[in-house]
Amino acid sequence: MKNIFTKKTMSLKSPSPALPGREGVNQSPPSRGGFRRGFFLSFGGLMLTAVLAFGQANIMPAKPQSGPIVITGATIHVGNGKVINNGYIAFDKGKITAIGEGTAPNSGGATIVNASGKQIYPGFICPITSLGLVEFESIRATDDETETGELNPHVRSLIAYNTDSKVIPTVRSNGVLLAQPTPQGGIIPGQSSVMMLDGWNWEDAAYKKDIGIHLTWPVANRGGRRRAFVVPGASQESPTERAQKAIDELSSLFSQAKGYAETKPAVTNVRLAAMVGLFNGTKKLFINADGAKEIIQAVNFAKQFGVQAVIVGGKESYLVTDVLKDNNVPVIIKETQTLPAKDEDDVYLPYKLPHLLQDAGVMYGLTGIGFWRQRNLPFEAGQAVGYGLTKEQAISMITLNNAKILGIDKTTGTLETGKDATLFISTGDALDMLTLNVENAYIVGKAISLDNLHKQLYKRYSEKYGLKADGK
C-alpha cells in the first residue's frame, strides 16, 4: 500500500497551490490575451465581491446576558416530549434557573417577557452542514469546506468557520441556533465542532470543539445500463475491487492510529494524533453511508476498532434497524423533503423514515442539505409529522436527539433547570412554514438579533413600492 502519511496537506485556510484540477501539472505562463482575460475576470470577481459586501446587513453579535430574564404565559415545548401549558421559564448568566406551569416565582429585578399565546422551543440544532464554511457557491474564495487529499483526519473545520457569514442570520431567524459545520471531500475530510450561530470569531462561537471525524464509506458504483469505455492500458479494476481497496486502506490507517493511541511515540504524526480521540471515546466517527450493505459494513468496521459510530444519510437504515439497535449506532437523516433513492421504493419513504426508526427503537436525528437550506430544518422535521411522528417527537428529532448524537445533551437540547438558556419564542407553530415567526431568540442567555439581509431587502423594496413591510 502506498504511504498515505507523506502526502502534502494544508489547513482549511490555506490557499490552493495550483489551479483546480491542475495540481502537479507544469503550468506555463499565460499568453498576453490569457493574462488580459484573467485580469478582467479577477477584477470582475473582486468588484462583485465588493458590491455584495457593501450590500450586506450590519448585524452585531449579542452581548452576554446582563441580568435575569423571566418569560411568562407561554406554551413550552421542553424537547423531551413534555409540553407545559401557561408556563414560565427563568434564566440568568446563561443558565435556566426555573421552569414550570402557572405563575413564575418572585423574581425581583428580572426582565419580564410576556409570551401569552406564544410558544417556546429549545434552539434547533443542525448537524452535518457546510453553514459558515460556504458563502457563495459560485465564488471559490468563499468556499472553504474542502481540502486537498483523501485522508485528512487532522483538518479542523472549526478554524474555517466564518462568523461574519450573512447566511447565518437567515438560518437562526427560523430557530436554528446551534450547528455542526462539517468538512467535505475525500474519504476522510476532517473533524467537526459544534458552533453557536452568534459570535465575533470562531473562538467566540465554539460550543464544543472537535467532537468527531468524518468518513465517506467507499461504495462500489453500481452504474447504469451502458458499459463504460475502457481506456487501453488503464487499470482494469472493477468498482467492487476499487471499493475494497479503499476499505483496506482505511483498515490500515485505523490500525496504525489505534497503535499510535496506545503508545507514546517520540515523533508526532498529526494525522494519527488527530484520531486518538476515536479510541479513547472523546470523538465519534460520523460515517456517510446510505445502502443497507454499506451501513452494515460501516457498523462492523467501527465495532472492529472499538469506536463510536454515527451513520449519516442512512437511506436504507430502516432495513437494518436490528444491526443499528444492537450496536447502539444512531442515524442522522439527510432531509425528508426529497424523493426516494430507488424507483421501486415507496414515494413517501423519505417522509416515513423518521417514524420507521422511531418504531424500531433506533436513535435518530435530522439535518438538511448544504448551508442556506438549513433554514428549512424545522419544516423538514414537520414533514415527518404527517407520516407517523407526533409533533413532540419531531421537535425532539432536531433538539434532544441531535444533542445526544453530538454529545452535548448534558447542556442543551431540552429546556431544563441547569441547562443553557438556548431557546426561542415563536408566535406560531415552529414546524409550520405558514405560522413560524420567531420573535425572540437567546443563545446561552444572550438575546441575539433576528435581523438579516433578506428582511432588510424586503423592507427596502416594500418601502419603494409603497407596501407595508409586514406584507399586508
Side-chain angles (χ1 to χ4, degrees):
M1 187 190 78
K2 65 182 180 180
N3 187 349
I4 56 178
F5 304 115
T6 58
K7 194 168 186 177
K8 183 178 180 182
T9 58
M10 305 174 293
S11 74
L12 282 174
K13 282 294 185 183
S14 302
S16 177
L19 295 176
R22 299 280 294 171
E23 291 81 4
V25 178
N26 182 22
Q27 301 180 38
S28 59
S31 65
R32 188 176 183 85
F35 175 82
R36 188 172 295 140
R37 286 192 298 272
F39 171 81
F40 282 113
L41 285 172
S42 299
F43 181 77
L46 289 172
M47 290 300 293
L48 174 61
T49 303
V51 170
L52 290 169
F54 281 111
Q56 300 304 305
N58 185 19
I59 301 170
M60 301 289 285
K63 295 180 180 179
Q65 185 177 0
S66 58
I69 296 174
V70 179
I71 307 174
T72 63
T75 299
I76 302 175
H77 302 266
V78 177
N80 57 6
K82 184 179 179 181
V83 178
I84 302 175
N85 295 308
N86 187 29
Y88 65 86
I89 183 168
F91 51 96
D92 189 18
K93 298 178 182 178
K95 295 291 184 180
I96 298 173
T97 56
I99 183 171
E101 185 176 358
T103 304
N106 187 14
S107 51
T111 299
I112 307 297
V113 179
N114 184 357
S116 297
K118 301 174 184 178
Q119 303 188 56
I120 298 177
Y121 299 86
F124 296 151
I125 304 168
C126 182
I128 316 295
T129 177
S130 52
L131 181 65
L133 304 180
V134 178
E135 193 71 6
F136 305 105
E137 291 173 297
S138 59
I139 301 178
R140 187 182 179 192
T142 69
D143 184 340
D144 211 7
E145 66 174 343
T146 59
E147 188 51 89
T148 58
E150 292 292 320
L151 301 171
N152 294 309
H154 60 297
V155 168
R156 305 169 74 206
S157 64
L158 175 74
I159 61 173
Y161 181 71
N162 176 22
T163 52
D164 293 327
S165 169
K166 305 310 175 187
V167 180
I168 291 174
T170 70
V171 173
R172 71 188 186 198
S173 291
N174 278 2
V176 181
L177 304 181
L178 294 171
Q180 180 195 15
T182 302
Q184 305 292 324
I187 297 176
I188 300 181
Q191 304 177 64
S192 64
S193 302
V194 179
M195 310 297 288
M196 296 178 286
L197 298 191
D198 182 74
W200 289 99
N201 48 51
W202 68 262
E203 293 99 330
D204 190 32
Y207 190 77
K208 188 172 183 180
K209 300 178 182 178
D210 302 324
I211 65 166
I213 292 177
H214 298 263
L215 187 160
T216 300
W217 192 256
V219 179
N221 222 346
R222 293 178 176 86
R225 295 185 180 90
R226 299 176 61 185
R227 294 183 62 187
F229 177 73
V230 179
V231 179
S235 172
Q236 301 300 309
E237 288 181 328
S238 68
T240 301
E241 290 172 334
R242 283 196 295 272
Q244 186 57 52
K245 185 177 179 181
I247 294 172
D248 292 341
E249 289 190 357
L250 282 173
S251 296
S252 177
L253 171 63
F254 273 72
S255 294
Q256 293 177 60
K258 188 172 184 179
Y260 184 93
E262 294 170 352
T263 60
K264 294 183 179 180
V267 178
T268 299
N269 183 307
V270 292
R271 281 191 176 92
L272 300 184
M275 298 176 67
V276 170
L278 292 175
F279 305 103
N280 63 23
T282 59
K283 294 179 182 178
K284 294 183 179 182
L285 184 63
F286 293 83
I287 308 175
N288 284 274
D290 282 321
K293 176 183 176 182
E294 288 74 31
I295 291 172
I296 292 175
Q297 288 178 332
V299 170
N300 289 335
F301 179 86
K303 187 176 181 180
Q304 175 187 349
F305 290 100
V307 302
Q308 300 177 61
V310 176
I311 296 298
V312 178
K315 291 181 179 179
E316 294 186 355
S317 56
Y318 68 100
L319 297 175
V320 291
T321 53
D322 53 340
V323 174
L324 295 168
K325 186 176 180 180
D326 291 345
N327 292 280
N328 196 28
V329 176
V331 177
I332 296 178
I333 301 167
K334 282 189 176 179
E335 70 174 346
T336 58
Q337 296 175 348
T338 185
L339 293 173
K342 297 178 180 178
D343 292 342
E344 62 269 24
D345 285 341
D346 180 355
V347 70
Y348 301 112
L349 178 59
Y351 309 155
K352 297 176 180 178
L353 183 55
H355 181 235
L356 294 174
L357 296 180
Q358 172 77 32
D359 282 353
V362 174
M363 173 58 65
Y364 63 96
L366 178 69
T367 185
I369 298 296
F371 58 112
W372 64 266
R373 283 179 59 187
Q374 300 296 1
R375 72 189 70 164
N376 293 330
L377 181 65
F379 314 137
E380 297 270 4
Q383 188 78 55
V385 174
Y387 293 85
L389 285 191
T390 66
K391 184 174 292 186
E392 297 309 314
Q393 287 172 341
I395 292 170
S396 294
M397 178 167 57
I398 55 176
T399 55
L400 179 58
N401 289 12
N402 278 347
K404 285 181 176 180
I405 294 171
L406 300 182
I408 56 175
D409 56 298
K410 291 184 178 180
T411 56
T412 192
T414 55
L415 301 177
E416 299 177 82
T417 302
K419 286 194 173 184
D420 291 336
T422 299
L423 54 99
F424 67 91
I425 304 172
S426 173
T427 58
D429 183 354
L431 303 187
D432 183 0
M433 186 180 295
L434 295 177
T435 61
L436 170 63
N437 178 34
V438 180
E439 283 194 338
N440 304 80
Y442 305 87
I443 298 179
V444 193
K446 299 185 295 182
I448 64 171
S449 170
L450 291 172
D451 195 10
N452 62 54
L453 180 61
H454 292 181
K455 291 180 179 179
Q456 292 188 3
L457 290 174
Y458 177 63
K459 186 175 181 179
R460 172 188 174 96
Y461 287 100
S462 294
E463 187 73 23
K464 176 180 179 180
Y465 294 108
L467 303 174
K468 291 184 179 180
D470 59 5
K472 296 181 181 178

